[in-house]
């Protein structure tokens, strides 16, 4: 046997599993320190205005209180706005905690109480007395949208809508079949299970170690260094375990600022943990309203696509996402008009949340396609196949790969789509109406420049390191697999270190790019180690490889061996020992390259099929079956990959039926800021989720053929469910979440 | 610093945690969760909401699953608490811990200790056999990563293993 059992492509258990099932995995608020100060945040009770006075005397006199920080006594931080920018923030002025008396949103942190215990800090926080000078506020997008504007400055990495193609309005008006409607999605909050927290360990001499809940330790490090004027050598940020991110940990959040500020000022270790209620005071998915108009010929071929979206943002930043561009690249159409606008509200800045933009825009597009299929009397899959495109019509680039046809075919087969009667209300089981719907999904297959280091030691072990995170995605595991496979080791012989700002450079973990990026960097480092080991093995006295080239050898079972004669081999540890060195080291970075992205467009695709059962009288909706067929290039670990898609689908079910941040616009204040009232799917809401990975070969999206899986699972799911609800009931619901009051009123 | 607030005198209790008898003195308002996480550094029990809405803090009190954030620590005088640290460690994992690993029943891992404590008690309660019953009776534990189908698989595996063991014992 020449090869090990392949690690890449095999289902492997998570290498961080034992730590997570025993409680040994340590999260940001769980790092211990002597004389730890506990910070508790006081938040503004109004949405807009000024702090007229803030009285902290009673709070400071409370037992255990060390200090109360407000805008009046805040230590000096950076003056210029740009110093508060981070790697992924949008254009605008980032929020600066305790900066001045100005209130920009309800729930804004206006004081930090630091005490010797969490209880004491929380107790004292209630004693802070604030007087406000209120100003009129606006938190209602349905009113603010009349002043919507095209963002004057684009956000880095987010393509603005392409220029219009043809004359979409004229083509629409002349189209024999057409649909036009508005589709809205409620604001949502990420609500990772671990509330945001930062523990700053005061190391002395101005040095701090920061345990932050973040998806990017180097992003947090750069932010802290910039804001507090510290040398980056004095700021180390670590986050080995992150209790869920989903985008909420991409940008530095205010607890990081407050914990570091207090630690530096008090010259002691400080922890700031947000409560679940306070988790509603920061980043969230923006409320978005889409207007979509589709025109087609009698055969269902699209002649016109118009998709205009308006999304909420804060007064101080222009958060932008790709909501509408999907409508110009998923199907072929000669006349296309896409627009994306923002409307300012007195809220905290929205931010990226699992597949930012895509499930919002695709809920609209894929609902409209379903409506078009009904209007044109064509099967929804057939309609999509008739409008299939082999290139990204927004920019003319060819896809690196696109097996969406296979997604439709394999997903439909697994689901039993051919048994569907197209007529709405055609299936019933007792008191339940049954509906089947489908939708397409698409997400970017990104790759970012990332570095990784591999160290091979005399005991035959490999240590891999990279600053990227594992927020639950399985990064530790897939990097172990890549290292083990490349050097022919067992998984147990590989250790992976992540999420420490001192490790080789990595961008934030987001955008589904980590597997492709960190994976390619690790592969490059391991290939360099292969070359070094081979060179050493050739130098050994009597080496079997004297005349061998790279192509003649393989790394198997801890050895280098000759492919033609596997009996001739050298132990890796032997090759290293002969060199007299204790270890070999390689640090390599992987980049997307310059030519590829100019010529090709890289996307993952999916076809989502949903079955709903709806109580005919009560309107209660259950999603009893989902099949999600995904084309995402090479699958490194089918076990963790399946989990990623299941998780995305659960999020799609939440978006379709449950999740909605409700604001009392009279107060400009979120009303349901708890997990009892902000509903996320519970176990009983989730039935069968079947994940299909269709075969897709891609040698251009990334060096290791990977396209990423973190986001694609959610995209399309809400639309498929809404389409199934229509099929079950004949009612078209165009506002998410589809709660039973909306269904019964329709 | 002023005088202590009224009613803040520390109260002594005896409590058994993971088999170890401990005497602790605490403030009357300290929750069992904060006692575990803050005072005893048993951070395997997680705080997700502090309001009994998410289940991340689930522990076993005399074998029953309970949200430790809703229990005042002083109420636990004389009781036996089992946290994830007492369920299984190192190479001695509880079958449900192993099943969670095999079934990939977690992603970020933050809800996992609570899910496992809850699942162990669920199995002991004997009320869940079908997937629907497991789903319903595990719905006090939220998993934001959405690992629910795998959690149900893991619990079902252990239920099947145990029913096999029970059958063998009966035969």
């Amino acid at each position: 046997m020449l090869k090990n059992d392949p690690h890449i492509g095999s289902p492997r258990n998570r290498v961080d599993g034992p730590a997570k099932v025993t409680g040994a995995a340590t999260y940001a608020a769980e790092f211990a320190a002597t004389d730890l100060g506990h910070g508790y945040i006081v938040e503004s009770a109004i949405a807009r205005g000024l702090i007229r006075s803030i009285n902290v005397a009673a709070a400071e006199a409370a037992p255990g209180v060390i200090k109360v920080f407000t805008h009046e006594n805040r230590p000096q931080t950076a003056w210029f706005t740009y110093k508060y920018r981070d790697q992924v923030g949008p254009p605008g002025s980032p929020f600066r905690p305790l900066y001045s008396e100005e209130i920009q949103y309800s729930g804004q942190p206006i004081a930090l109480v630091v005490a010797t215990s969490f209880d004491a800090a929380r107790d004292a926080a209630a004693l802070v007395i604030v007087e406000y000078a209120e100003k009129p506020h606006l938190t209602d997008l349905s009113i603010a949208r009349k002043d919507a504007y095209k963002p004057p400055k684009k956000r880095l990495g987010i393509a603005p809508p392409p220029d219009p193609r043809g004359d979409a309005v004229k083509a629409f008006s002349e189209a024999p079949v057409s649909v036009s409607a508005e589709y809205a999605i409620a604001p949502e909050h990420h609500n990772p299970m671990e509330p945001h927290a930062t523990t700053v360990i005061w190391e002395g001499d101005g040095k701090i170690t920061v345990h932050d809940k973040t998806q990017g330790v180097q992003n947090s490090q750069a932010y802290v260094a910039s804001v507090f004027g510290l040398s980056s050598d004095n700021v180390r940020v670590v986050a080995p375990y992150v209790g869920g991110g989903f985008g909420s940990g991409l940008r530095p959040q205010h607890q990081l600022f407050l914990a570091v500020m207090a630690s530096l000022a008090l010259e002691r270790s400080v922890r700031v943990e947000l409560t679940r209620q306070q988790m509603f005071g920061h980043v969230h998915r923006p409320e978005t309203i889409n207007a979509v108009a589709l025109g087609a010929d009698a055969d269902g071929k699209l002649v016109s696509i118009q998709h205009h979206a308006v999304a909420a943002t804060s007064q101080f930043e222009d958060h932008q996402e790709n909501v509408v561009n999907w409508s110009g690249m998923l199907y072929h159409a000669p006349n296309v008009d896409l627009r994306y606008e923002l409307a300012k509200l007195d809220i905290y800045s929205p931010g990226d949340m699992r597949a930012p933009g895509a499930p919002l825009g695709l809920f609209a597009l894929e609902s409209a396609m379903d409506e078009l299929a009904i209007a044109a009397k064509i099967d929804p899959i057939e309609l999509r196949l008739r409008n299939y495109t082999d290139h990204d019509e927004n920019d003319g680039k060819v896809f690196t790969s696109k097996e969406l046809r296979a997604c439709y075919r394999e997903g439909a087969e697994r689901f039993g789509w051919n048994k569907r009667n197209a007529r709405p209300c055609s299936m019933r089981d007792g008191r339940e109406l049954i509906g089947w719907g489908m939708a397409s999904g698409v997400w970017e297959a990104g790759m970012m420049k990332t570095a990784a280091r591999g160290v091979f030691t005399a005991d035959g072990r490999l240590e891999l390191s990279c600053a990227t995170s594992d927020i639950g995605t399985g990064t530790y595991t897939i990097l172990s697999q890549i290292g083990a496979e490349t050097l022919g080791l067992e998984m147990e012989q590989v250790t992976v270190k992540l999420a420490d700002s001192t490790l080789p450079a990595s961008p934030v973990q987001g955008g589904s790019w980590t597997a492709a990026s960190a994976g390619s960097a690790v592969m490059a480092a391991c290939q360099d180690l292969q070359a070094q080991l081979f060179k050493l093995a050739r130098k050994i006295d009597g080496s079997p490889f004297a005349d061998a080239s790279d192509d003649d050898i393989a790394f198997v079972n801890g050895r280098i061996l000759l492919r033609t004669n596997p009996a001739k081999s050298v132990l890796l540890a032997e090759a290293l020992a002969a060199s007299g060195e204790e270890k070999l080291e390689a640090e390599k970075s992987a980049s997307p390259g310059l030519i590829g992205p100019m010529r090709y467009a890289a996307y993952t695709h999916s076809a989502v099929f949903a079955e709903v059962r709806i109580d005919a009288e009560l309107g209660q909706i259950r999603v009893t079956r989902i099949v999600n067929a995904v084309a995402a290039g090479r699958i490194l670990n089918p076990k963790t990959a399946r989990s990623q898609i299941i998780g995305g689908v659960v999020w799609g079910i939440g978006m379709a039926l449950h999740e909605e941040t409700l604001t009392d616009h009279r107060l400009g204040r979120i009303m349901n800021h708890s997990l009892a009232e902000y509903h996320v799917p519970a176990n009983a809401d989730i039935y069968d989720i079947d994940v299909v990975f269709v075969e897709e070969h891609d040698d251009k999206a990334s060096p290791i053929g990977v396209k990423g899986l973190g986001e694609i699972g959610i995209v399309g799911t809400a639309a498929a469910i809404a389409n199934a609800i229509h099929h079950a009931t004949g009612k078209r619901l165009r506002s998410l979440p589809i709660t039973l009051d909306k269904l019964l009123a329709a | 610093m002023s005088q202590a607030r009224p009613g803040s005198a520390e109260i002594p209790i005896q409590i058994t945690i993971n088999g170890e008898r401990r005497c602790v003195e605490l403030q009357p308002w300290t929750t069992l969760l904060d006692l575990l996480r803050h005072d005893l550094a048993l951070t395997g029990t997680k705080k997700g909401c502090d309001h009994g809405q998410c289940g991340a803090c689930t522990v076993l009190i005399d074998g029953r699953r309970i949200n430790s954030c809703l229990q005042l620590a002083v109420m636990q005088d004389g009781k036996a608490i089992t946290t994830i640290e007492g369920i299984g460690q190192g190479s001695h994992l509880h079958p449900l811990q192993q099943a969670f690993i095999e079934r990939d029943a977690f992603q970020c891992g933050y809800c996992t200790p609570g899910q496992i404590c809850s699942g162990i008690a669920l199995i002991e309660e004997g009320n869940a056999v079908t997937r629907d019953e497991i789903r319903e009776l595990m719905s006090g534990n939220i998993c934001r990563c959405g690992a629910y189908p795998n959690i149900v698989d893991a619990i079902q595996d252990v239920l099947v293993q145990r029913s096999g063991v029970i059958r063998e014992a009966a035969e």
Side-chain angles (χ1 to χ4, degrees), chain A residues 14 20 27 639 643 681, chain B residues 5 102 104 107-108 144 148:
Chain A
R14 276 170 210 264
K20 286 178 174 172
Y27 299 80
K639 186 179 271 192
S643 292
Chain B
R5 308 193 99 201
E102 298 296 332
D104 208 32
Q107 293 177 34
C108 80
R144 187 56 160 157
Y148 297 127

Side-chain angles (χ1 to χ4, degrees), chain A residues 13-14 16-18 20-27 29-30 38 60-65 116 118-119 122-123 127 189-195 241-244 246 271 273 276-277 353-354 470-473 639-644 646-648 650-651 659 674-678 680-689, chain B residues 1-5 8 27 29-31 34 37-38 41 43-51 53-56 84-90 93 96-98 100-113 115-116 131-132 134-153 155:
Chain A
N13 291 341
R14 276 170 210 264
D16 47 341
K20 286 178 174 172
V21 301
T22 57
T26 311
Y27 299 80
E30 298 170 353
H38 296 260
E60 288 208 306
V65 171
T116 50
F118 175 77
D119 292 349
R122 180 178 53 190
D123 190 23
L127 304 175
H189 275 75
H190 302 68
N191 278 307
M193 291 312 295
E194 178 201 18
Y241 296 103
V242 179
F246 316 111
R271 174 184 301 152
E273 280 177 86
R276 180 57 59 188
Q277 283 60 40
M353 180 162 159
R354 204 165 197 169
D470 184 338
I471 55 172
T473 44
K639 186 179 271 192
T640 53
R642 175 175 169 271
S643 292
Q644 282 280 78
I646 287 175
V650 170
W651 274 59
E659 295 190 44
S674 75
L675 288 174
E677 297 185 61
Y678 179 95
V680 301
N683 203 322
D685 294 314
I686 304 304
Y687 294 80
D688 292 346
I689 299 173
Chain B
M1 236 188 253
S2 74
Q3 284 187 331
R5 308 193 99 201
S8 66
Q27 317 255 231
W29 57 73
T30 302
T31 62
D34 285 344
R37 281 175 70 81
H38 291 169
T43 55
T45 305
K46 304 303 182 192
K47 186 182 277 190
C49 72
D50 223 11
H51 283 54
Q53 296 163 349
C54 77
I84 192 69
E85 290 89 348
I87 299 287
Q89 289 294 321
L93 295 182
L96 190 59
Q97 289 174 311
Q98 191 59 44
F100 263 61
I101 294 175
E102 298 296 332
R103 289 294 193 163
D104 208 32
F106 56 88
Q107 293 177 34
C108 80
Y110 198 78
C111 75
T112 311
Q115 299 277 1
I116 290 173
R131 291 183 74 84
D132 273 354
I134 297 171
R135 278 194 269 262
E136 182 65 30
L137 294 170
M138 284 299 291
S139 281
N141 291 80
I142 293 175
C143 170
R144 187 56 160 157
C145 297
Y148 297 127
N150 298 354
I151 291 169
V152 175
D153 286 342
I155 291 172

